[in-house]
Amino acid sequence: MKKILSLKNAVISIAILIGIWQIAYTFSGYSDALFPSPYQSLLALIEMIKDGSLFENIKTSMYRFLSGYVTSVISAVLLGLILGRFPSVFKYVNPAVQLLRPISPTAWMPFIVLLFGIGDTPAIVIIFIAAFFPVLLSTVSAVGNIDPIYFKVAKNFGIRQPQLTWKFILPAAFPQIANGIHLAIGTSWIFLVAGEMVGAQSGLGYQIIDARNNIRADILLATIVVIGVIGIILDGLLKLIENIIMKAWGGQQ
């Protein structure tokens, strides 16, 4: 019943958004070349599907996204587990992390392009940076907040590494780690598009720039909608994976 209501709410919300778009188009006074209607953008979407450019760019973007995001999450979680167990070390690392964390990943783009050139690598590096700090800090905090009773029980049963991490630390810390991973997927997807708009010759971000250069606002808006839909799908898949892991570790779904 909840799923039906959730789907109903989503349909109503999207319908309202499209309605606002149509009203804005009707009364804006802009030409179709500058501000197309939802129907014109739908035709552009069909055009991209027919010529194969949409799926090719989605495939390219997803490769870059998964390469950067998965690598970043694994690296950040592993480092966070170590630093979380050694707070005396993290207090020296934390100032550097707090210095680098507020810097937008796109600020590194000129430097990254100079080092790696144009192609997949700059976008992957941007995604890595965007995901790394939220996951790292949430992991360190999660490990630091574990009830000491867990470690006492592990010691009494003679449990040592790596079983200690897998059987005690990760299950206890996972809910908070998952929050950081969830936050990171949104920011990573955003910065993937930003990275592709500057340092790539393919992908969804590049498709937006190409549409702008060719004065194809209908393709531009259609691509924006596709980016939003993929973001929703990625968020839903991540929630599903989180629920599976929580269930396997005896947590609440």
Side-chain angles (χ1 to χ4, degrees), residues 24-158:
Y25 164 77
T26 302
F27 295 100
S28 66
Y30 290 110
S31 68
D32 294 348
L34 294 177
F35 186 40
S37 68
Y39 178 69
Q40 291 167 330
S41 297
L42 176 61
L43 293 179
L45 178 63
I46 295 172
E47 176 187 334
M48 290 187 291
I49 292 174
K50 287 182 176 180
D51 65 21
S53 61
L54 179 63
F55 294 116
E56 188 64 32
N57 284 319
I58 290 176
K59 177 182 176 182
T60 301
S61 291
M62 289 306 302
Y63 164 74
R64 293 167 179 162
F65 174 77
L66 292 175
S67 298
Y69 179 74
V70 173
T71 304
S72 182
V73 167
I74 293 174
S75 301
V77 169
L78 291 177
L79 182 59
L81 290 172
I82 295 172
L83 293 177
R85 292 289 288 132
F86 298 97
S88 58
V89 175
F90 181 66
K91 69 180 181 180
Y92 293 104
V93 176
N94 191 42
V97 172
Q98 297 302 331
L99 174 67
L100 296 173
R101 182 176 62 87
I103 301 174
S104 171
T106 53
W108 297 100
M109 180 56 75
F111 183 67
I112 293 171
V113 171
L114 287 174
L115 288 178
F116 300 106
I118 302 296
D120 292 337
T121 305
I124 292 173
V125 173
I126 289 293
I127 296 164
F128 183 96
I129 296 172
F132 184 79
F133 294 109
V135 178
L136 174 67
L137 293 176
S138 66
T139 303
V140 172
S141 177
V143 175
N145 290 334
I146 294 176
D147 193 326
I149 192 67
Y150 282 91
F151 299 106
K152 292 181 181 178
V153 170
K155 184 177 180 181
N156 290 338
F157 281 93

Side-chain angles (χ1 to χ4, degrees), residues 4-19:
I4 295 175
L5 290 175
S6 178
L7 179 60
K8 179 182 177 181
N9 292 339
V11 171
I12 293 174
S13 177
I14 293 172
I16 292 173
L17 184 61
I18 294 174

